Amino acid sequence: MDLVKRLEEYRDRERELMWEGTFAEYFEIACKQPAVARLSHERIYHMIIDAGVDTTRTGETRYKFFSDEIFGIEKPLQQIVDYFHSAAQRLEVRKRILLLMGPVGGGKSTIVQLIKRGLEAYSRTPEGAIYAIKDCPMHEEPLHLIPYELRGDVEKEFGIYIEGDLCPHCRYMVDNQYRGRIEEVPLKRITFSEKYRIGVGTFTPSDPKSQDISELVGGIDLSTIGEVGVESDPRAYRFDGELNIANRGVMEFVEMLKTDEKFLYVLLTLSQEQNIKTGRFSMIYADEVVVSHTNEHEYQAFVGNKKSEALQDRIILVKVPYNLRVSDEVKIYEKLLKQSALQNVHIAPYTLRIASIFALLTRLEPSKKAGMSLMKKLKLYDGEDMEDFKQKDVRELQDEAVREGMDGISPRYVINRLSNALIKNNVTYISPIDALRALRDGLDQHTSITREERERYLNFISEARKEYDEIAKKEVQRAFVYSYEESARTMLNNYLDNVESYCNKTKLRDPITDEEMEPDEHLMRSIEEQIGVSENAKRSFREEILIRISSLARKGMTFDYTSHERLKEAIEKKLFADLRDVVKITTSTRTPDKEQLRKINEVIERLVAEQGYTYESANELLRYTGSLLNR
């Protein structure tokens, strides 16, 4: 990389963003590109949509703007996008504060950070270009220069909607410096930046005795009073409060409900009237999105306070629970670990999955449905079908659970414990057992759980351990199958030949003797029994397989052992059952002979090459599985 060249290119791009001109020039731009005059909610909505939209296999809408950072909370994200969509149409909802409420570590702050960082990047693109009156402390929309008497005609002829009024600083400049000649007022293109306090503001509550309201709305600059004479002169005021500088963008109100009441009163007029009252000035128009976040306890106290009813009525609440899908929880941990410097420590396969299973078990609510355990519910939520339950049951389970995802172990706790295991001396890898041990040991240090919760969480660690035991046995058994795909294909073809003969009431021919023979019922049942297909259900199951083969053939596709999920599971289980004794003897022998050693080395090579293990983690897996099979 040629750094000097890249720096030159960077400076060239920055110069392109430094357009300056007059209002007359800007109005021509606005006529050709009305999007430059969008209001704040509409700008954020288009920023999200312009990033791209996908639909998941379950029919949920997934927004690419969030998809690399936020996982498993599609419903809250959809509610947030719906809020911006309605507000973009200039409906009444835009005059509401967006409040994200949920447990710690659930992603509330990350969502707000994404919107803030996204706005900064979007304002640097041609689609998100934004212009302001030069030297205006509130980065004023230039169209505010147009007198109210002319705005109706402008909208009628050019289709440009204008809302709001000039701030006192710009009004003084237009009246005194330009004598009302608005076409000559200088403008410039701006890019949002929290660092430079342009269009992105953040307010954090602190000690109400020492924190001043000027942090929100600005204040009098005493050093200029002698020069300008009176405090009501715009030149004597610093429009540098967070609500001022966030004009046309977004203002994050960190933990809004922890703030002193006097700060919340400002939000009443801002949310409903879109105005800020500052000292000795009239109302100052502000177009900005106010978004905040809080936890459930603070929110319940806020709702119970009758004094805050006016503000409650101006809030749009979005609940942001913990993620409830194992596959998405794994993505969260992968993202957080990728940001660390511990790239030389190997994380064995299924380590993050087993940690995720434990975390999700603590977040799920027990179901009243007969036979529905938490583990079954967890797998259903993750897209797996169970014997007695299918994906169609998921919606009913979700409706049944009132507060699911609002309690339990946070991703922050899990990543803290994994980090603790990763940094130990001489650690080259961590396994699922290491992860469960670290999670268990950390429960004693967890400050917010009761003794009863600790006992319950220990039971969930045992549940996650049982799940890993089954996975470990399958991993080793799969690695023991020589030419696994070929073995599965051979078994499938034998099964399908017999099923076709059975369903069509024909006979098979022996490939060696050429004799006719009946379908091998023993072979078919030995496979079907692996997944619990009863004697009464065997015909319908076999006919279902033939229908699937016919359906794929019409589409020009070939049926293989992975084409039918239940048949795939049955063939895998049958292969593993046939190999169980071989695996047991080989893995549990303390002093393996030459042949057993050869098999072990082959299995380790396959685990490393095909399953993503290192030699050390593969060896541990074999030792662990050997101990399981000998119990």
Side-chain angles (χ1 to χ4, degrees), residues 261 264-265 268 298-314:
E261 286 183 0
L264 297 179
Y265 293 146
L268 290 176
E298 295 280 354
Y299 179 74
Q300 294 301 336
F302 170 69
V303 170
N305 183 1
K306 294 296 182 182
K307 290 182 181 179
S308 60
E309 284 182 342
L311 188 60
Q312 291 173 30
D313 197 44
R314 290 168 169 83

Side-chain angles (χ1 to χ4, degrees), residues 555-604:
K555 297 174 184 175
M557 299 164 69
T558 306
F559 185 94
D560 65 21
Y561 93 99
T562 63
S563 298
H564 190 281
E565 192 61 37
R566 293 194 70 207
L567 182 57
K568 173 179 178 287
E569 182 187 351
I571 286 175
E572 286 182 351
K573 283 186 173 180
K574 173 62 177 159
L575 282 170
F576 297 157
D578 293 347
L579 273 169
R580 184 181 177 89
D581 290 339
V582 176
V583 175
K584 183 176 177 179
I585 293 167
T586 311
T587 56
S588 60
T589 303
R590 294 195 175 188
T591 54
D593 59 30
K594 191 174 180 181
E595 179 60 20
Q596 288 170 336
L597 196 60
R598 183 186 65 79
K599 283 183 180 178
I600 288 172
N601 287 333
E602 278 185 4
V603 168
I604 289 174

Side-chain angles (χ1 to χ4, degrees), residues 23 145-147 150 166 170-185:
F23 176 76
L145 290 162
I146 298 176
L150 301 180
L166 290 173
C170 290
R171 189 180 300 112
Y172 182 91
M173 177 188 66
V174 171
D175 292 344
N176 295 278
Q177 191 173 343
Y178 292 94
R179 304 295 178 186
R181 296 183 61 81
I182 65 168
E183 63 272 20
E184 296 175 7
V185 173

Side-chain angles (χ1 to χ4, degrees), residues 469-626:
D469 289 351
E470 293 305 310
I471 290 171
K473 285 186 278 189
K474 284 184 180 180
E475 280 283 275
V476 173
Q477 289 170 335
R478 183 178 286 115
F480 261 90
V481 178
Y482 181 74
S483 301
Y484 174 67
E485 295 285 342
E486 189 59 40
S487 302
R489 202 173 295 117
T490 301
M491 185 177 287
L492 173 74
N493 289 333
N494 285 339
Y495 177 75
L496 292 180
D497 287 343
N498 281 278
V499 163
E500 189 175 2
S501 174
Y502 171 85
C503 291
N504 295 333
K505 297 181 179 178
T506 58
K507 293 188 177 182
L508 292 165
R509 283 195 176 278
D510 190 295
I512 299 174
T513 64
D514 205 36
E515 290 181 62
E516 287 190 338
M517 54 186 185
E518 295 293 331
D520 190 340
E521 185 66 21
H522 176 72
L523 169 70
M524 291 186 285
R525 292 301 294 145
S526 69
I527 292 172
E528 292 159 358
E529 284 170 353
Q530 300 295 327
I531 51 171
V533 175
S534 66
E535 185 71 25
N536 293 334
K538 68 181 183 181
R539 173 172 286 277
S540 61
F541 180 76
R542 294 168 187 176
E543 288 172 348
E544 179 187 325
I545 298 296
L546 288 185
I547 290 169
R548 179 70 61 86
I549 294 171
S550 174
S551 174
L552 289 173
R554 284 200 304 273
K555 297 174 184 175
M557 299 164 69
T558 306
F559 185 94
D560 65 21
Y561 93 99
T562 63
S563 298
H564 190 281
E565 192 61 37
R566 293 194 70 207
L567 182 57
K568 173 179 178 287
E569 182 187 351
I571 286 175
E572 286 182 351
K573 283 186 173 180
K574 173 62 177 159
L575 282 170
F576 297 157
D578 293 347
L579 273 169
R580 184 181 177 89
D581 290 339
V582 176
V583 175
K584 183 176 177 179
I585 293 167
T586 311
T587 56
S588 60
T589 303
R590 294 195 175 188
T591 54
D593 59 30
K594 191 174 180 181
E595 179 60 20
Q596 288 170 336
L597 196 60
R598 183 186 65 79
K599 283 183 180 178
I600 288 172
N601 287 333
E602 278 185 4
V603 168
I604 289 174
E605 291 287 347
R606 201 164 290 123
L607 286 168
V608 171
E610 298 174 13
Q611 307 293 3
Y613 289 85
T614 60
Y615 286 97
E616 293 89 347
S617 59
N619 261 305
E620 181 183 319
L621 177 68
L622 281 180
R623 288 194 299 271
Y624 183 72
T625 308

